[in-house]
Amino acid sequence: MDKKILTIQDLSCVGQCSLTVVLPILSAYGLETCVLPTAVLSNHTMFKTWSYLDLSDEVDNIYANWKENGFKFDAFLLGYLGKAGLMDAAERAFDEFSNDGRLIIIDPVFADNGKLYGGFDEAYVKGMAHLIRRADIILPNFTEACFLTGMEYKTSYTREYVEEVLAKLSLLTSATAVVTGVELEGKIGEAIKRGDKISYVMGEKLPKSSHGTGDIFAAVFTAEYLGGKSLEEAADKASVFVQDCLKATPAEHFYGVVFEKILNAQRKA
Ligand code: PXL
């Protein structure tokens, strides 16, 4: 039977991130994609201003009806929750709505480039460091991996430093860690730790980055991995997808990437 996935993250109405990118990507890969919206924002928080409707209070109502209707999911992809209180709700979803053999992928989504996103604090980081114990795979970027482990964020570091961070992540969770945005020897990519095995998937470092690319990486990685690719293959496909998005995005399109073009090109190929 086809896989049914629940993705838990916010709906930013404008800005090409979270649900507006993850939902079309997972669907295009043929996954039946269900959503638990954690918040509705006018736009993402990299714009000058934004409105924020926290949906925490609606979760009980949604879960009661899911229970009544007998819904279960084969996989979970968790992203931007916004409020630490929603971490309990996420755990309840794992406990109450899982099919046998389900996969839990957690992208912590609270920081980048050495800084917390607007609205997040140390308590959120601590909560996420606890929540990831429930994951099978975690997808932190290098900044988030440093925050989660209490390691210093550096812009220049060695392979040894990356592996120290990976080792500290293993103290928090037995999940496979796929740490994105790792920069080594002029390249950028993922450092992957599964049990004692560490591997790297490194690619071209482009002279720009953009908002929403972490969410796009998570969606493509999840779809490829659920489709049977290895961790490394899925990470490579997701990185190349993100690079293609960045290359296709004009400079004046500052708030996200034109992932629609790449998804559409993939459909026609
Ligand atoms: O792309 C991550 C993300 C998701 N959702 C919201 C955000 C961000 C990053 O800042 O602001 C609302």
Side-chain angles (χ1 to χ4, degrees), residues 10 12 17-18 41 43-46 80 109 117 211-213 215:
D10 73 282
S12 283
C17 74
S18 45
L41 290 85
N43 45 265
H44 63 56
T45 62
M46 293 295 172
Y80 184 104
V109 192
Y117 293 140
H211 208 64
T213 51
D215 303 335

Side-chain angles (χ1 to χ4, degrees), residues 110-164:
F110 59 74
D112 204 2
N113 299 312
K115 287 200 214 86
L116 293 174
Y117 293 140
F120 290 98
D121 57 15
E122 274 304 321
Y124 192 91
V125 176
K126 230 174 133 192
M128 190 53 74
H130 186 62
L131 182 63
I132 58 173
R133 80 193 188 289
R134 299 294 309 269
D136 298 298
I137 301 178
I138 56 170
L139 303 174
N141 60 38
F142 189 65
T143 298
E144 289 157 349
C146 290
F147 270 106
L148 288 168
T149 55
M151 295 285 284
E152 184 193 351
Y153 172 76
K154 302 181 183 187
T155 48
S156 167
Y157 43 80
T158 60
R159 193 174 272 247
E160 287 67 39
Y161 193 72
V162 173
E163 293 182 11
E164 222 180 303

Side-chain angles (χ1 to χ4, degrees), residues 1-99:
M1 217 173 58
D2 288 342
K3 292 209 170 85
K4 193 186 274 193
I5 184 167
L6 176 68
T7 186
I8 306 177
Q9 49 192 303
D10 73 282
L11 175 60
S12 283
C13 302
V14 177
Q16 290 167 313
C17 74
S18 45
L19 281 183
T20 63
V21 304
V22 171
L23 180 53
I25 292 173
L26 293 176
S27 298
Y29 271 89
L31 291 160
E32 180 181 340
T33 307
C34 307
V35 303
L36 180 66
T38 55
V40 178
L41 290 85
S42 54
N43 45 265
H44 63 56
T45 62
M46 293 295 172
F47 287 98
K48 267 197 303 229
T49 65
W50 61 90
S51 67
Y52 194 105
L53 174 66
D54 174 29
L55 294 179
S56 302
D57 288 347
E58 189 57 18
V59 170
D60 281 349
N61 200 8
I62 291 173
Y63 283 3
N65 285 278
W66 285 359
K67 249 193 169 151
E68 203 60 38
N69 290 309
F71 300 146
K72 300 267 174 171
F73 307 101
D74 304 300
F76 296 85
L77 172 60
L78 185 139
Y80 184 104
L81 298 180
K83 302 280 179 235
L86 282 160
M87 292 176 192
D88 277 348
E91 291 211 46
R92 277 170 54 212
F94 305 152
D95 291 335
E96 292 174 26
F97 304 112
S98 282
N99 274 329

